[in-house]
Amino acid sequence: MGGAGILLLLLLAEAGAGVAWRPPKGKCPLSCSCSKDSALCEGSPDLPESFSPTLLSLSLVRTGVTQLKAGSFLRLPSLHLLLFTSNSFSVIEDDAFAGLSHLQYLFIEDNEIGSISKNALRGLRSLTHLSLANNHLETLPRFLFRGLETLTHVDLRGNQFQCDCRVLWLLQWMSTVNASVGTGACASPSTLAHMQLRHLDPKMFKCRAIELSWFQTVGESALGVESFSYQGEPHVVLAQPFAGRCLILTWDYGLQRFRPEEELSAPSVVSCKPLVLGQRLFVLAARLWGGSQLWARPSPGLRLAPTQTLAPRRLLRPNDAELLWLDGQPCFVVADASKAGSTTLLCRDGPGFYPRQSLHAWHRDTDAEALELDGRPHLLLASASQRPVLFHWFGGRFERRTDIPEAEDVYATRHFRASGDVFLCLTRYIGDSMVMRWDGSMFRLLQQLPSRGAHVFQPLLIARDQLAILGSDFAFSQVFHLEPDKGFLEPLQELGPPALVAPRAFAHITMSGRYFLPQCVSTFS
């Protein structure tokens, strides 16, 4: 029986060898009516998938689809027309129409769409007619129409737009594009209610554009970056484990670039933390192997030199170092990721820095963050073995205050202040990263942000704009902007190759009204 079956298959294959290949005919789903090149589906519980791949026109009416996900129509590469009407889906994801390179007509009308992703229309290089009429759109993401150079007609009527700075890019696009555009009306603010977008003057919006762009790269990858000012001049120090050094850069006013000033030998370094005390410069080099060191420059004109090995019996595998001031004295806290080591507080005593307190032993700490709450110094430690723990300075030492609920597997933490509140950015490598807000006794969850392989979630205050960059090893890193009215971080920009791959740290420098964002990338997996 088995042998006969095999012989039959071989004979069929041989018989088909001389016949011209024809695409599969496909089947018309029960909820659809089909002709040779088109299909109309009404009341389908989901997206039908059994059509012939040569289908040219598809109309979907009153389906049960809740969202259009990436690659929803990859099996229909020949489509020229796609229509949705009276459906209940409210979200269109990135690359929802991927693979439809021949699509010319896309009508998404009379649905409940309230959100469309920035890259939802990516790849529709033949699109000439687009309608998003009569939906629930209040705004459109910037660059939504990027790459759609063939557009001749766009219909946005029947949407109630929020006519603030978020709509400015659309007004500017309308004034430059060759396509005819049917526009919707403003729902807010009240002074612009019911006014058509095409009647708005872009000059009436007083908006500040924020966009980060590539400026300069430094050869070797790095794990950490710190900016500081020494003798009134801007500097940057990079922790470069592959090169085995802390590399100090200074601004060259002639070249208008950062140039190397000095390098400190530091094999397996993970953090280079600077401290400026008057004319003296210190750099703590936290190293995975070989012991952490303190380098010092007593006065300008001299080179940095190693002056001290730091707590060799306690700091066995440092992962992060932070600077903080306690009772008027500078201190470093070094998070130790070794199970046999101990996170250690080192404070200045005479010419060096010496252990003041061991913290959180046996918990394999990955990150330390110094912050002030209720007018007192606090310290937050993230660990590989438990939720982040918050300590407060009491009686000349750090005492445990609380841990952070709903925060498992947190790799690192960073904080920022806005409108009198303290916010916390929690980085998670697996799972959503989080934003929390201090309520006076506890950090409470405010927002979750999807992240893929994140090692850094860094808040940055640039001018009056509070930003936060969420790094990613497997996708584009995301720049978020804190919307003062909402109190939430909203997507602002994507950062990706070639300038940004696997980011590990960010910092920023202000100089002559210009903002620079030194960032570290690493090839670590």
Side-chain angles (χ1 to χ4, degrees):
M1 186 72 175
I6 294 174
L7 180 60
L8 178 61
L9 288 174
L10 290 174
L11 288 173
L12 286 172
E14 183 67 22
V19 180
W21 180 85
R22 295 177 181 175
K25 292 183 179 180
K27 297 180 180 179
C28 187
L30 294 177
S31 58
C32 306
S33 57
C34 306
S35 65
K36 179 181 178 182
D37 297 322
S38 64
L40 169 63
C41 303
E42 184 172 359
S44 175
D46 49 28
L47 286 178
E49 296 183 347
S50 60
F51 300 110
S52 167
T54 60
L55 191 71
L56 299 180
S57 173
L58 175 62
S59 299
L60 299 167
V61 181
R62 288 186 287 277
T63 68
V65 179
T66 58
Q67 60 183 337
L68 291 184
K69 298 182 178 181
S72 293
F73 303 95
L74 287 174
R75 299 185 181 184
L76 300 173
S78 298
L79 277 183
H80 281 59
L81 182 147
L82 182 57
L83 179 144
F84 302 87
T85 185
S86 301
N87 294 283
S88 59
F89 62 86
S90 58
V91 176
I92 304 178
E93 294 185 358
D94 283 347
D95 300 307
F97 308 104
L100 301 184
S101 58
H102 302 291
L103 193 70
Q104 298 178 23
Y105 300 89
L106 178 58
F107 302 99
I108 308 174
E109 302 175 336
D110 299 290
N111 299 284
E112 298 179 5
I113 301 169
S115 174
I116 181 169
S117 298
K118 182 177 70 173
N119 297 313
L121 307 179
R122 184 161 52 190
L124 298 181
R125 59 175 180 265
S126 300
L127 195 66
T128 59
H129 290 69
L130 171 66
S131 177
L132 297 172
N134 303 316
N135 289 294
H136 296 168
L137 294 168
E138 297 182 350
T139 185
L140 294 176
R142 193 179 180 190
F143 303 126
L144 176 65
F145 305 129
R146 182 168 53 186
L148 307 183
E149 284 81 8
T150 56
L151 276 177
T152 58
H153 296 83
V154 179
D155 193 352
L156 302 176
R157 294 174 299 175
N159 291 289
Q160 298 296 308
F161 288 100
Q162 303 294 319
C163 293
D164 51 24
C165 288
R166 289 171 291 178
V167 82
L168 177 59
W169 77 269
L170 181 59
L171 303 182
Q172 295 170 334
W173 176 82
M174 287 165 47
S175 64
T176 60
V177 73
N178 292 325
S180 63
V181 182
T183 60
C186 299
S188 67
S190 57
T191 53
L192 299 177
H194 309 301
M195 183 176 291
Q196 293 290 311
L197 263 65
R198 63 174 175 267
H199 296 150
L200 298 179
D201 183 357
K203 295 180 180 179
M204 67 187 295
F205 295 93
K206 306 301 180 183
C207 305
R208 290 177 292 123
I210 310 169
E211 187 163 349
L212 305 177
S213 58
W214 174 87
F215 177 72
Q216 180 185 350
T217 58
V218 178
E220 293 284 347
S221 58
L223 281 183
V225 58
E226 299 285 344
S227 60
F228 65 99
S229 177
Y230 180 65
Q231 295 295 293
E233 299 296 336
H235 289 74
V236 174
V237 58
L238 302 174
Q240 298 184 311
F242 294 134
R245 67 188 181 188
C246 295
L247 179 62
I248 299 177
L249 308 174
T250 187
W251 180 250
D252 189 311
Y253 290 91
L255 297 176
Q256 290 290 291
R257 297 172 69 84
F258 286 97
R259 60 170 174 81
E261 180 187 69
E262 190 172 354
E263 60 180 75
L264 316 181
S265 177
S268 68
V269 68
V270 294
S271 179
C272 302
K273 201 71 180 182
L275 167 64
V276 177
L277 294 176
Q279 301 208 2
R280 286 168 293 179
L281 171 63
F282 298 89
V283 177
L284 183 152
R287 299 165 53 192
L288 287 176
W289 317 111
S292 298
Q293 289 182 312
L294 183 70
W295 293 65
R297 178 188 293 170
S299 61
L302 299 177
R303 298 186 66 82
L304 284 154
T307 62
Q308 183 185 1
T309 299
L310 298 169
R313 296 184 179 180
R314 305 191 193 192
L315 301 178
L316 302 184
R317 193 180 177 188
N319 200 78
D320 182 42
E322 293 296 327
L323 172 68
L324 64 164
W325 289 79
L326 299 170
D327 299 330
Q329 289 295 322
C331 299
F332 292 105
V333 60
V334 182
D336 194 276
S338 168
K339 197 170 183 180
S342 175
T343 293
T344 301
L345 177 68
L346 304 119
C347 293
R348 188 165 181 242
D349 186 1
F353 286 77
Y354 299 94
R356 177 80 171 266
Q357 183 182 359
S358 291
L359 291 157
H360 217 216
W362 302 96
H363 283 294
R364 299 168 55 205
D365 294 328
T366 56
D367 181 81
E369 175 74 351
L371 66 163
E372 184 177 290
L373 298 171
D374 310 322
R376 290 185 296 165
H378 283 67
L379 180 66
L380 189 61
L381 295 180
S383 167
S385 60
Q386 67 176 54
R387 297 181 295 191
V389 176
L390 184 67
F391 296 83
H392 65 128
W393 187 248
F394 182 78
R397 59 185 290 109
F398 277 112
E399 300 286 349
R400 180 187 173 111
R401 180 170 181 179
T402 184
D403 63 5
I404 298 181
E406 307 175 60
E408 303 292 342
D409 300 317
V410 172
Y411 175 78
T413 63
R414 293 292 181 267
H415 80 285
F416 66 92
R417 294 179 177 273
S419 303
D421 288 322
V422 178
F423 296 83
L424 199 61
C425 296
L426 295 93
T427 310
R428 300 178 73 207
Y429 188 81
I430 299 175
D432 294 346
S433 293
M434 295 177 284
V435 182
M436 293 189 167
R437 183 169 54 198
W438 181 251
D439 68 359
S441 61
M442 183 71 70
F443 280 104
R444 304 290 184 184
L445 181 63
L446 182 67
Q447 192 174 1
Q448 290 184 303
L449 299 172
S451 56
R452 299 181 60 193
H455 281 95
V456 57
F457 189 4
Q458 179 68 54
L460 298 161
L461 183 63
I462 298 181
R464 299 189 302 276
D465 296 295
Q466 180 63 58
L467 308 182
I469 305 181
L470 179 58
S472 176
D473 284 6
F474 307 114
F476 285 90
S477 296
Q478 300 286 332
V479 183
F480 295 91
H481 180 255
L482 182 68
E483 297 293 338
D485 295 338
K486 297 182 178 180
F488 286 91
L489 291 174
E490 298 286 348
L492 178 67
Q493 183 183 355
E494 288 183 339
L495 300 175
L500 188 64
V501 180
R504 292 296 183 268
F506 295 91
H508 88 278
I509 297 175
T510 305
M511 197 159 41
S512 301
R514 301 171 68 187
Y515 294 86
F516 296 89
L517 184 68
Q519 50 90 9
C520 289
V521 299
S522 172
T523 54
F524 282 172
S525 60

